[in-house]
Amino acid sequence: PTPLIPCSVVFGSRFMQALYHAGGLHFARERIVHNGVRLVAQPSTSFRDRSLLIRPGELRLLFAGRVTEIKGVHTALEALSAYSD
C-alpha cells in the first residue's frame, strides 16, 4: 500500500486527484471541491458599462488557474511590465 502523506488536500477536480495518485501521492484527507460559485441574480443592466469598473490608465489582469510554466503567466507578467514602461 502507498503511504499516506499526513495532511489535508482539496482538489479542484477528479482529474487532478487522479493525476496526483498516478504520481504516487496520496493524502490522509482528500476532498474534491469543483470550481463553482453561487451567484445572486443581477439585473441585466448591472454591468453594461464596463468602463465604470476601471480608472483611466489602469490595466488589470485576472488569472484563474494553476500557476505553472505551461499556462504562460510569466509571459503575461512580462507583457504587463512592458506596457507600464
Side-chain angles (χ1 to χ4, degrees):
T2 305
L4 296 178
I5 299 170
C7 67
S8 298
V9 175
V10 177
F11 294 102
S13 67
R14 283 191 177 87
F15 172 80
M16 289 306 299
Q17 183 184 40
L19 190 64
Y20 276 77
H21 289 178
L25 299 172
H26 296 268
F27 304 92
R29 291 166 305 282
E30 297 181 351
R31 195 167 170 203
I32 297 172
V33 176
H34 296 281
N35 300 327
V37 296
R38 293 178 192 246
L39 297 176
V40 176
Q42 297 287 327
S44 60
T45 58
S46 292
F47 298 107
R48 286 254 166 95
D49 187 359
R50 295 190 187 279
S51 67
L52 299 174
L53 300 175
I54 60 170
R55 294 180 198 100
E58 183 178 61
L59 179 65
R60 292 183 184 186
L61 170 70
L62 170 67
F63 175 80
R66 288 179 295 125
V67 179
T68 60
E69 186 175 351
I70 196 169
K71 300 281 187 168
V73 176
H74 62 286
T75 304
L77 293 175
E78 289 170 12
L80 281 176
S81 69
Y83 175 83
S84 65
D85 290 343

